[in-house]
């Protein structure tokens, strides 16, 4: 293809590339406001699902209601999830979301156990080397942004001391724990 | 752009389009073997997550262990999920996956409640007009394909009688039930 043909192709290429780019998923990675707050990732329910727990009592989202304890749903942005499957650890710009929901029982035809109800809180755990590594953010219900949780808070030290992989609780993520063990990134005894 | 330039552009276009198509998600929709068995959708964990229940006792995957009841995780293929958000119902070729996992407690630093463990079974609910509408398939552990569950089985009549939207249990899917109510597709009292 000569230079003239290449230049003539540009308009058609722009049309094709524009169309295909529109069909691509959104760019991954955390987005911030100028003030440094993290922008709420409104599409996180379409990210890769890691696991759910019910009434887990190790953290902020622990059970406070013995009858209807809270569910925790965990999601990772898809690019970081796929990277983890290849490497056994999280790349820079990883975002993990912890969605806490209430629970209920005996709803519709369900006669036992627990189903999920409304969102109670959304927390983000973000790996960003440009901002000092892993950080936590807690979104108020309906908030479009969240401030950094100060690094002196005990969520940081707890994750540091107990997370199986890179300060994250991969021991609770059944599709990732085996991958981490195979890659030698899983800290034994956690 | 004249016809000659268009023809000359084809090689460059092929390179660009091939590259971008590789970056696209896999085609949605059920895939079958020649014998009519449903091919296991191995990427379902990257689909859109709908909800989880613990120890629900309305169906096959109900609790059989009061100490560590089973979790149910439900996923929808992403294209159908997005279509539901726009229309309040499922398009043809929808695939829903029910993943049943065991549970455990007092693992690592978790002192209460339940975490998810290994997969016990995977079931598919598939809407395919070319095959008579909604069908169920149950994958044995590790199976790459599954036969149709006969339409005389009570899973069909139960979903027909109790599903809030189009034979599916949208009453248990918190991100979709409100959408269905707004679109008038939610059957009252279910």
């Amino acid at each position: 293809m000569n230079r003239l043909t290449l230049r003539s192709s540009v308009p058609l290429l722009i049309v094709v590339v524009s169309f295909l780019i529109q069909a691509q998923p959104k760019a991954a990675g955390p987005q911030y406001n100028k003030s440094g707050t993290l922008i709420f990732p409104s599409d996180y329910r379409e990210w890769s699902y890691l696991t759910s727990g019910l009434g887990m009592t190790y953290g902020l989202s622990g059970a406070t209601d013995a009858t209807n304890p809270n569910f925790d749903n965990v999601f990772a942005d898809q690019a970081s999830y796929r990277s983890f499957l290849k490497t056994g650890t999280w790349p820079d710009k990883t975002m993990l979301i912890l969605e806490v929901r209430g629970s209920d029982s005996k709803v519709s035809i369900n006669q036992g156990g627990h189903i999920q109800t409304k969102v109670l809180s959304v927390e983000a755990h973000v790996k960003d080397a440009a901002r000092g590594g892993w950080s936590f953010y807690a979104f108020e219900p309906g908030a479009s942004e969240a401030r950094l949780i100060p690094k002196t808070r005990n969520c940081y030290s707890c994750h540091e001391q107990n997370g199986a992989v890179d300060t994250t609780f991969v021991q609770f993520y059944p599709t990732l724990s085996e991958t981490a063990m195979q890659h030698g990134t899983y800290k034994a005894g956690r």
Side-chain angles (χ1 to χ4, degrees), chain A:
Chain A
M1 187 180 291
N2 62 37
R3 191 181 298 170
L4 184 62
T5 312
L6 185 63
R7 190 180 302 149
S8 310
S9 310
V10 167
L12 180 57
L13 269 175
I14 287 174
V15 170
V16 172
V17 170
S18 299
F19 174 79
L20 287 163
I21 284 174
Q22 284 179 347
Q24 300 283 313
K26 278 188 203 172
Q31 306 293 321
Y32 303 92
N33 286 309
K34 281 183 184 169
S35 63
T37 54
L38 181 68
I39 296 175
F40 184 70
S42 56
D43 62 342
Y44 77 85
R45 288 279 307 196
E46 295 187 27
W47 293 5
S48 298
Y49 168 72
L50 296 187
T51 196
S52 298
L54 179 72
M56 294 173 72
T57 52
Y58 67 98
L60 291 173
S61 48
T64 52
D65 178 342
T67 308
N68 288 314
N70 293 340
F71 276 100
D72 297 294
N73 301 323
V74 187
F75 303 84
D77 71 276
Q78 199 165 53
S80 301
Y81 174 77
R82 289 180 177 169
S83 178
F84 193 106
L85 291 178
K86 288 180 191 160
T87 64
T89 194
W90 300 111
D92 192 37
K93 308 300 182 191
T94 291
M95 288 188 77
L96 301 177
I97 290 285
L98 179 76
E99 178 193 67
V100 182
R101 283 185 180 266
S103 74
D104 203 352
S105 195
K106 299 189 179 169
V107 174
S108 183
I109 62 165
N110 180 45
Q111 294 305 310
H114 292 89
I115 65 157
Q116 299 196 357
T117 58
K118 68 178 181 181
V119 174
L120 300 177
S121 66
V122 174
E123 295 164 27
H125 195 195
V126 180
K127 183 175 184 176
D128 194 337
R131 288 165 191 256
W134 286 101
S135 300
F136 289 98
Y137 300 83
F139 294 91
E140 299 291 329
S144 60
E145 60 184 320
R147 284 189 203 157
L148 175 74
I149 294 178
K151 297 211 170 183
T152 49
R153 294 279 286 276
N154 63 8
C155 46
Y156 292 92
S157 55
C158 178
H159 275 252
E160 183 72 44
Q161 289 160 23
N162 299 297
V165 178
D166 192 15
T167 83
T168 66
F169 285 113
V170 170
Q171 60 264 54
F172 301 133
Y173 307 155
T175 57
L176 297 184
S177 53
E178 196 174 335
T179 301
M181 286 177 192
Q182 286 165 357
H183 284 86
T185 54
Y186 191 102
K187 292 182 184 167
R190 296 204 170 177

